[in-house]
Amino acid sequence: MDKKNKTLSVGWLSTGNGEGSLGLFKQGLDLHNQKKISIDYVFSNRNYGEKTGSDNYIDFIKKIKLKLSHYHQKIIKIKIKLYGKI
């Protein structure tokens, strides 16, 4: 939390596959735009091309130019197994 501005910094994690995921993110984005929270990054456990819903979610995140990280679930599991972290 930025104590000077009292803004909570968050990372947003979601598969982003359904309308509910995007709707909830848009509510969070409203708080971000009001400077009540700061969304520092968005993470999805889907790669582009896996599902139409998550593709729409990833497209939206890119459009608003927030930092986006996304990996397929299998890659995440392999990285954790090999390195103990992503």
Side-chain angles (χ1 to χ4, degrees):
M1 177 180 280
D2 179 345
K3 292 186 181 194
K4 183 177 180 183
N5 297 321
K6 297 187 180 181
T7 303
L8 180 65
S9 295
V10 299
W12 199 274
L13 297 99
S14 176
T15 298
N17 191 45
E19 291 179 23
S21 299
L22 187 55
L24 181 61
F25 177 77
K26 286 179 178 179
Q27 289 181 344
L29 185 60
D30 286 343
L31 294 172
H32 174 82
N33 291 335
Q34 294 171 27
K35 308 286 189 219
K36 293 182 178 180
I37 66 171
S38 173
I39 301 175
D40 295 337
Y41 65 89
V42 177
F43 178 84
S44 175
N45 62 329
R46 291 267 171 86
N47 276 335
Y48 201 84
E50 287 187 63
K51 298 278 186 177
T52 303
S54 51
D55 288 354
N56 293 337
Y57 185 80
I58 290 169
D59 286 339
F60 183 78
I61 303 303
K62 288 181 177 180
K63 179 181 171 186
I64 60 171
K65 298 181 181 173
L66 282 176
K67 183 178 176 184
L68 172 67
S69 295
H70 54 95
Y71 296 100
H72 187 278
Q73 299 172 95
K74 289 179 184 177
I75 293 172
I76 293 169
K77 288 177 184 177
I78 290 168
K79 285 188 172 200
I80 290 172
K81 188 174 183 178
L82 289 174
Y83 308 112
K85 61 182 178 180
I86 298 175

